[in-house]
Amino acid sequence: MTLRVENLSRAFTRYVFAKRVSYSSDDPGGFLNEVFSRYLSRGVRRERVYAVRGVSFELSRGKVLVVIGPNGSGKTTLLRVLAGLLAPTEGRIVLDGVDLTHAPFSAYARHFTYIPGLTASGALWLNAGLTARRCLELYAEAYGLDRSRVPEVLELVGLAEHADARVGTFSTGMVGRLVLAAGLLKEASIYLMDEPLVGLSREVALDVMGLLRSLASEAKATVIYATNDLEEAERLADYVLFLHEGRQVFYGTLDEFRGLARRLVLEVEGPPELLVEALRGAAVVDASGGRVKAVLSSLEEAHEVLRELSARGIPFKSLRVAPPTVEEIYMHVIRRRGSASAGAGRVASS
């Protein structure tokens, strides 16, 4: 099964009011003037605002695509379009050669499962007075799913021992697992997960990430996973899709993403105070034990730093190329995009 997304965009209409009439909350006449000014006068201008613009990628079965980007970059909007919850403004969504772009929601629902995180109101359906088992049974009934899978998904997320405990007694991490269990009740080809680990403890998050990798490798499901946590991205991703202000900055394998930047690690021995002063402008990551370690972003910066050290008579211990972390590449790309994206047009939040 192959998912192909071609030049996908989603735009919204924003109303801009040329004139605003101030009023007091206890002044009905002022309120009517405000309504007229906002909605009925000719001073209203409509603007098209893109939340996602020009996203393209191809993903095969059993792979994990991690969608990363700053807040407001369009991650949630992209997942909602792929889930059939929002209609795309432009572009195509093709699954195994079948164009789903303008298909009814039921066509999407056969293949996709959207699992929002706790911060996206994913737990609103839970009843604190009911047991975990009963909540999932009611959820299954409401959405026409197989109730017999409830024990299976509770086992999958590590809640089997708490199946008959009231949800009101659960910790945030346990509630997060229960939300994930609800999403897994439906066996889907493609799981769309919107920051599902937010609010979970590190121990629980690691367990869930292991479960997601198993979904892909053993169940051969495709997972599209949106997150701001770059450690999660590094642990989960086969492929990375980087969004910035709604636009696609990068799509490729995790190794290709790491190749976007390199880092030079410089180690110098001597009095830390003197060394830190000499290395001003460089990212010092350690200054202890008579040794300073700094990360340099380019050969030009390394040249300047070495020239400064030489002028001060300070020998350096080593200069080596080290593989960058996902977080370092993330910040590198964001800095590089800074001014370029400012003129790329108005883009809405996710």
Side-chain angles (χ1 to χ4, degrees):
M1 178 170 287
T2 301
L3 172 66
R4 191 170 74 252
V5 173
E6 301 174 355
N7 199 34
L8 194 68
S9 300
R10 168 66 189 190
F12 298 89
T13 299
R14 179 169 61 189
Y15 294 89
V16 180
F17 305 98
K19 182 180 179 182
R20 184 182 179 93
V21 180
S22 61
Y23 69 95
S24 169
S25 59
D26 58 356
D27 176 10
F31 172 75
L32 293 175
N33 283 336
E34 175 73 354
V35 170
F36 178 81
S37 174
R38 277 179 175 265
Y39 303 108
L40 303 178
S41 74
R42 295 181 180 178
V44 179
R45 186 176 75 255
R46 294 194 303 175
E47 289 183 352
R48 171 169 280 196
V49 184
Y50 281 90
V52 174
R53 191 166 195 173
V55 172
S56 299
F57 63 86
E58 187 170 307
L59 197 60
S60 59
R61 185 171 187 163
K63 300 298 182 182
V64 178
L65 169 65
V66 176
V67 185
I68 62 174
N71 289 332
S73 60
K75 300 186 298 295
T76 295
T77 300
L78 174 62
L79 262 59
R80 288 177 176 169
V81 171
L82 293 176
L85 300 174
L86 293 174
T89 306
E90 300 159 10
R92 297 203 308 156
I93 301 169
V94 181
L95 185 63
D96 275 351
V98 178
D99 192 339
L100 297 178
T101 311
H102 302 294
F105 175 73
S106 58
Y108 285 87
R110 282 196 293 272
H111 303 284
F112 295 87
T113 290
Y114 176 60
I115 304 177
L118 292 178
T119 56
S121 305
L124 287 179
W125 58 273
L126 293 173
N127 187 326
L130 298 179
T131 66
R133 186 193 309 276
R134 186 57 182 151
C135 280
L136 289 180
E137 288 173 346
L138 291 174
Y139 184 91
E141 290 174 8
Y143 289 94
L145 304 175
D146 184 1
R147 284 182 48 175
S148 67
R149 296 199 69 237
V150 168
E152 179 186 345
V153 296
L154 285 171
E155 181 71 36
L156 276 174
V157 300
L159 287 178
E161 295 180 1
H162 306 280
D164 297 312
R166 287 189 305 107
V167 173
T169 66
F170 281 13
S171 65
T172 301
M174 293 169 73
V175 171
R177 290 194 197 201
L178 190 56
V179 170
L180 182 59
L184 297 176
L185 271 173
K186 185 182 119 184
E187 294 182 281
S189 305
I190 302 173
Y191 291 93
L192 307 168
M193 300 187 174
D194 192 359
E195 302 192 57
L197 304 188
V198 171
L200 305 190
S201 69
R202 178 171 175 76
E203 180 183 356
V204 172
L206 289 174
D207 287 345
V208 173
M209 282 190 277
L211 169 63
L212 298 183
R213 285 301 324 175
S214 296
L215 266 179
S217 61
E218 297 173 17
K220 297 302 180 185
T222 300
V223 177
I224 301 179
Y225 184 101
T227 184
N228 277 330
D229 189 312
L230 299 177
E231 183 183 351
E232 292 176 16
E234 197 143 21
R235 285 180 176 273
L236 287 171
D238 293 309
Y239 294 88
V240 174
L241 175 64
F242 193 159
L243 299 180
H244 186 256
E245 296 186 345
R247 295 178 180 269
Q248 179 173 323
V249 177
F250 173 85
Y251 169 70
T253 66
L254 182 59
D255 286 341
E256 289 170 340
F257 184 62
R258 288 191 178 114
L260 288 179
R262 62 179 172 179
R263 59 177 185 161
L264 302 166
V265 179
L266 175 68
E267 293 188 17
V268 188
E269 291 184 341
E273 298 81 8
L274 179 62
L275 295 176
V276 169
E277 181 185 350
L279 293 169
R280 63 184 181 277
V284 175
V285 294
D286 184 31
S288 60
R291 181 177 62 88
V292 170
K293 181 187 289 186
V295 175
L296 312 176
S297 61
S298 66
L299 289 173
E300 291 76 14
E301 185 182 9
H303 177 73
E304 291 298 324
V305 168
L306 293 177
R307 189 167 59 183
E308 179 68 21
L309 292 174
S310 178
R312 293 172 180 254
I314 302 172
F316 68 93
K317 182 179 178 182
S318 68
L319 177 64
R320 58 189 172 85
V321 177
T325 65
V326 167
E327 183 170 7
E328 287 166 346
I329 300 169
Y330 179 92
M331 296 310 300
H332 171 79
V333 174
I334 291 294
R335 285 194 296 267
R336 208 173 64 184
R337 287 282 298 181
S339 58
S341 63
R346 296 183 180 89
V347 181
S349 300
S350 63

